[in-house]
Amino acid sequence: MKAEESVTTGADLLVKAMIDEDVEVVFGYPGGAVLPIYDSIFKQNRLRHILVRHEQAAVHAAEGYARSTGKVGVVLVTSGPGATNAVTGLTDALMDSIPIVCLTGQVPTHLIGNDAFQEADTTGITRPCTKHNYLVKDVGDLARVLHEAFYVARTGRPGPVVIDLPKDVLMAKHEYRPPKKPVQHKSYRPQVKPELKRIEQAVEMIAAAKRPVIYSGGGVINSGPKASKLLQQFARMTGFPITNTLMGLGAYPASDKQFIGMLGMHGTYEANLAMHGCDLLLNIGARFDDRITGRIAAFSPGSKKIHIDIDPSSINKNVRVDLPIVGDVAHVLEDLIRVWKARQPKLDQKALKAWWAQIDTWRGRDCLAYKQVGDVIKPQYALERLYHHIKDRDAYITTEVGQHQMWAAQFLKFEEPNRWLTSGGLGTMGYGFPAAIGAQIAHPEALVIDVAGEASILMNIQELSTAAQYRLPVKIFILNNQYMGMVRQWQELLHGGRYSESYMESLPDFVRLAEAFGAVGLRAHSTAELDGVIQEMIATPKPVIADILVDKNENCFPMIPSGAAHNEMLLGPEDKAAKPVSEEGMVLV
Amino acid sequence: MTVEAHTISVLVDNEPGILARVVGLFSGRGYNIESLTVAETDAKQNLSRITIVTRGTPMVIEQIKAQLDRLVPVHRVRDLTVEGPHIERELALVKVKGVGEKRVEALRLADVFRASVVDAKTDSFVFEVTGNSDKVQTFIGLMQSLGLVDVGRTGIVAMSRGGEAL
Ligand SMILES: Cc1cc2nc3c(=O)[nH]c(=O)nc-3n(C[C@H](O)[C@H](O)[C@H](O)COP(=O)(O)OP(=O)(O)OC[C@H]3O[C@@H](n4cnc5c(N)ncnc54)[C@H](O)[C@@H]3O)c2cc1C
Ligand SMILES: Cc1ncc(C[n+]2csc(CCOP(=O)(O)OP(=O)(O)O)c2C)c(N)n1
Ligand SMILES: [Mg+2]
């Protein structure tokens, strides 16, 4: 370095601080307010920058990176439109508890409030969609704020943190001193270790259970791979049935016989009836989302409930529980297993056997059954074939939002955490493809597939250009039903079949679209072509769009219509007339 | 479930945007604020104390406290209503315009309420009254017929009885 270059600016300092946080990659898009940071990035080669084509995609890519690695995802965008474009991604990360640090440019401090060019009140706009945010007005605060932001994003219940950076602060001269570890925050101290008394109470309740069910969620994934291992150990030890939320898939191996599938609106018959009929509900890192509970008053009416969660605000929010345990899943399970082993309580094996027999009869309904007749591809069949071809590879699956997402959750099986990346809480169409890009950046050799709908994929299709630039062999597997299928399904079931604006007119030719971006396009019209297309897609070392033309009219079952209870689920098309949706149900989303 | 009023004290870092965070939390989640006061209470440590009176079912009140506690710059959240005996005070400035019998009566009532006169003109008074909200409300009510023209209220500040700090 030349002498004048060794003088540190705010921007240089940020880059150094990020390197100290072990950041390897930043997803971003430049603009006037962040040019000093881009300059600092240019002058070094530790920190890699991935240029996306839209700031929303930068956040989703960082989410994909974060969810597939357990690390913090980092985003860099400019002021004004750069920051506002990032808002959907930030909200998505907040809802799904994904650790993100997002640096936003800002106009210089003396112009703040003047409606300056590309000024937006970024901290104001992002306050409700971040875990925390900062506006740094003094270069002297910059290093502390950056390290604090990573700490806040990653610890406790993870979430997105925004740092708004006025350009003059980025250009001001300042020395960088690496932080003293570990960062201690004066007011923010998440509770990681549970109270022992509650663990002991839990052991008693668990030992007394006759019809238990473990309901585990995204919190297990947030807690890290060790939590998944402990969850398996705990489940084996008790022999209890276990169900996962959409966000929790992979936290428990899907092939295990104790696993009874996903629960909730599109969950399995056995999982939902087990939730309804259990006498002990053990919630491990899940948040009683309305997609799980259905009608609250009728939710799991006969059970004692234990809830393990690191965020006290998740407890007793929707469902009142008997025993709250605040703490990190891995820590709680460790204590639970230790106390259990020490006490060696006797389980009621006879009752558990009868409970399992009951669950097995529910399983016998084979609620995910569908009929593949003729050569029109059923979406479920496409996913079964996809699974067949990828099951021996350590694949990462992302999804968009809609029917295809639910079918992917039902038909693809996950044996490990961090392999399933989906937008659950916000349900953001356009999430899957950039998330796949982020996962592919983190795992360059892995097979990464975005299971997409033809409508959703158009929401961030510009990222084909990113995939092409970095030669990312991401696969887009479109279940093309020519409809916003999930919308069409609700219109069929709830709005008298009036398909208002849910037909996808004027769809592009996805094969030629792929080619236009330098990717490869494939298409399957019929079952006969399906396996060939899947194999070719997997074998192609480039980004691929596989346009799978599927049955337009297929609906996703089972389904608990909104406002209904677990034991009122619709198992298939025949069911719908018998159980009309209540008026209260109609107003629900 | 029954709706009840709770007085909650919140100790926060006195930093820009903190009030917006708290107020945004209430509006964003549909909780209501009956009274809100805020001021710096510890300049050295840069701490402010926010006192909020809110209403809700016990489950909602529990949520409100958990949500407040989740804000990063929040140090402590205390529900004075459930934690035992506490004192609540409010201050109001009450302007009354009038002459003759009404003016005399206003002054007499102010004396009863131990309100002090902080400004006087030949045809008006500004009273300063302090007490719990009921007392302040009653005083203002009485002034209504005696020429009340303006009221400013601080909202409630509150503190637990006994030696313990927030
Ligand atoms: C079209 C559509 C349909 C859907 N249908 C379904 C459905 O049928 N079934 C379904 O399950 N979902 C469904 N969802 C998803 C649903 O909306 C929710 O996103 C999901 O159910 C929430 O999952 P979760 O409860 O695991 O919570 P998450 O959102 O993953 O939250 C995790 C919880 O764990 C806690 N936590 C975080 N870290 C830790 C830690 N280290 N230790 C302890 N606790 C921690 C958090 O505080 C939080 O309470 C659907 C979504 C869409 C878009
Ligand atoms: C950004 C956004 N806008 C609107 C919606 C509402 N929505 C949910 S699913 C869906 C249709 C998705 O269609 P497609 O991607 O083709 O998937 P399919 O349901 O057909 O599998 C819509 C519009 C949403 N989730 N996200
Ligand atoms: Mg579709």
Side-chain angles (χ1 to χ4, degrees), chain A residues 67 95-97 156-158 215-220 222-223 244-248 262-267 285-289 291-292 307-311 314 327-329 401-402 405-406 423-427 486:
Chain A
R67 191 66 162 186
M95 294 289 275
D96 285 346
S97 305
R157 179 181 188 167
Y215 146 50
S216 69
V220 182
N222 286 132
S223 181
N244 276 167
T245 65
L246 183 74
M247 294 308 292
M262 182 174 84
L263 78 165
M265 184 174 270
H266 293 291
R287 58 183 172 85
F288 291 111
D289 182 78
R291 223 109 291 223
I292 299 300
H307 187 179
I308 300 169
D309 204 297
I310 203 161
D311 178 357
S314 279
D328 164 60
V329 168
V401 170
Q405 175 189 27
M406 293 298 111
S423 170
L426 196 63
M486 188 57 88

Side-chain angles (χ1 to χ4, degrees), chain A residues 375-580:
Chain A
D375 23 289
V376 178
I377 303 168
K378 288 281 183 191
Q380 301 95 321
Y381 179 69
L383 287 165
E384 273 194 338
R385 294 316 298 162
L386 177 68
Y387 183 63
H388 172 80
H389 292 286
I390 65 172
K391 65 175 186 287
D392 297 325
R393 315 192 35 157
D394 191 14
Y396 292 80
I397 304 291
T398 72
T399 75
E400 307 292 337
V401 170
Q403 291 179 319
H404 63 277
Q405 175 189 27
M406 293 298 111
W407 283 316
Q410 293 171 340
F411 288 91
L412 304 178
K413 311 272 176 242
F414 297 89
E415 302 296 315
E416 307 234 19
N418 307 99
R419 301 301 190 280
W420 164 249
L421 290 62
T422 197
S423 170
L426 196 63
T428 311
M429 292 169 72
Y431 163 88
F433 181 31
I437 287 177
Q440 188 81 75
I441 293 283
H443 310 277
E445 306 301 327
L447 176 62
V448 180
I449 304 173
D450 171 29
V451 175
E454 80 297 331
S456 296
I457 194 62
L458 290 178
M459 288 218 178
N460 271 318
I461 195 70
Q462 76 287 345
E463 296 308 314
L464 273 172
S465 180
T466 310
Q469 177 179 347
Y470 298 98
R471 297 195 173 78
L472 302 173
V474 171
K475 317 301 181 212
I476 302 174
F477 190 72
I478 303 180
L479 296 177
N480 187 342
N481 55 10
Q482 293 179 45
Y483 272 100
M484 299 172 193
M486 188 57 88
V487 173
R488 194 199 54 72
Q489 175 165 349
W490 281 50
Q491 287 172 333
E492 180 182 327
L493 298 177
L494 302 158
H495 295 274
R498 291 178 293 281
Y499 300 123
S500 179
E501 304 294 325
S502 55
Y503 181 65
M504 291 299 287
E505 282 285 343
S506 308
L507 280 171
D509 175 339
F510 283 108
V511 172
R512 284 166 62 203
L513 181 75
E515 285 162 2
F517 278 98
V520 173
L522 306 169
R523 181 170 293 127
H525 302 83
S526 65
T527 49
E529 293 168 351
L530 182 61
D531 282 78
V533 165
I534 293 172
Q535 280 165 320
E536 192 179 344
M537 173 186 87
I538 294 170
T540 306
K542 293 179 91 183
V544 179
I545 293 185
D547 186 19
I548 312 296
L549 306 185
V550 298
D551 187 343
K552 289 180 210 170
N553 298 314
E554 192 66 15
N555 285 335
C556 184
F557 290 109
M559 176 176 181
I560 303 176
S562 23
H566 282 169
N567 58 348
E568 298 164 350
M569 71 191 314
L570 307 179
L571 281 170
E574 321 73 43
D575 253 5
K576 70 181 183 212
K579 298 169 185 163

Side-chain angles (χ1 to χ4, degrees), chain A residues 127 133 186-187 311 313 316, chain B residues 13 20-21 62-63 70 72:
Chain A
R127 207 171 280 128
N133 64 16
K186 52 188 174 193
S187 54
D311 178 357
S313 81
N316 290 334
Chain B
D13 277 329
R21 271 181 223 289
E62 201 187 325
Q63 257 301 296
R70 206 153 82 108
V72 169

